[in-house]
Amino acid sequence: MPRLRKKYESELRTQIREKLGLDNPMAIPALVKITLSCGVGGAKDNTTLLQDAVEILNRVTGQKSVITRARKPIAQFKLREGMPVGCMVTLRGDRAYEFLDRLISVVIPRIRDFRGLPRSFDAQGNYNLGIAEQ
């Protein structure tokens, strides 16, 4: 069991339950999945850029990434429907907790000119974070 998951199950869950005043244990917020996506703008002209992005995501996450394709044609970008435009990986369970632990403890402290994380929660409670250095 990952370190962050152990801490969440033993300490944080009860603190969140008390702070929010929740009676139902199923209403306590939890980490369900982490989705990593990488858009490759030059993939339509140069396929090696897309393969490099796939390889990087494979190394970072430890599982195989999926190539995403364009849903609609966009004439201004010379993009046709079905052309490869990026890649993505979905992490669930222990892999998601392990990835989040490494992100918080290793990656974020090494970001140059770090000024804190943005508060980018949407209406459903999802958090979005973009990192431009990679």
Side-chain angles (χ1 to χ4, degrees):
M1 184 180 273
R3 180 179 69 161
L4 185 63
R5 189 172 206 162
K6 283 181 190 174
K7 183 169 182 156
Y8 174 76
E9 297 291 336
S10 63
E11 301 171 22
L12 299 176
R13 218 173 138 86
T14 55
Q15 291 174 2
I16 292 171
R17 186 176 188 175
E18 291 169 3
K19 185 176 180 180
L20 298 177
L22 300 172
D23 295 330
N24 186 354
M26 298 303 289
I28 300 171
L31 179 64
V32 178
K33 69 178 178 178
I34 294 176
T35 304
L36 300 167
S37 62
C38 180
V40 183
K44 61 181 173 50
D45 300 326
N46 190 354
T47 57
T48 58
L49 292 175
L50 182 64
Q51 294 304 323
D52 291 343
V54 167
E55 185 62 34
I56 288 170
L57 270 184
N58 290 348
R59 270 193 245 137
V60 167
T61 60
Q63 75 185 45
K64 187 177 178 190
S65 58
V66 176
I67 294 175
T68 56
R69 300 188 177 275
R71 286 184 245 149
K72 301 188 227 181
I74 302 172
Q76 292 176 343
F77 297 127
K78 297 179 184 171
L79 187 67
R80 293 191 182 123
E81 185 178 345
M83 289 178 78
V85 293
C87 53
M88 66 166 278
V89 175
T90 301
L91 303 171
R92 296 177 191 269
D94 286 346
R95 287 187 181 178
Y97 278 98
E98 188 67 36
F99 179 81
L100 185 63
D101 187 24
R102 283 186 279 144
L103 180 74
I104 292 169
S105 60
V106 177
V107 176
I108 291 176
R110 294 183 182 180
I111 295 175
R112 274 184 262 128
D113 301 329
F114 182 67
R115 296 178 188 225
L117 294 173
R119 297 174 196 254
S120 46
F121 285 96
D122 62 6
Q124 289 79 31
N126 301 316
Y127 184 73
N128 299 306
L129 172 67
I131 300 175
E133 288 185 20
Q134 188 57 41

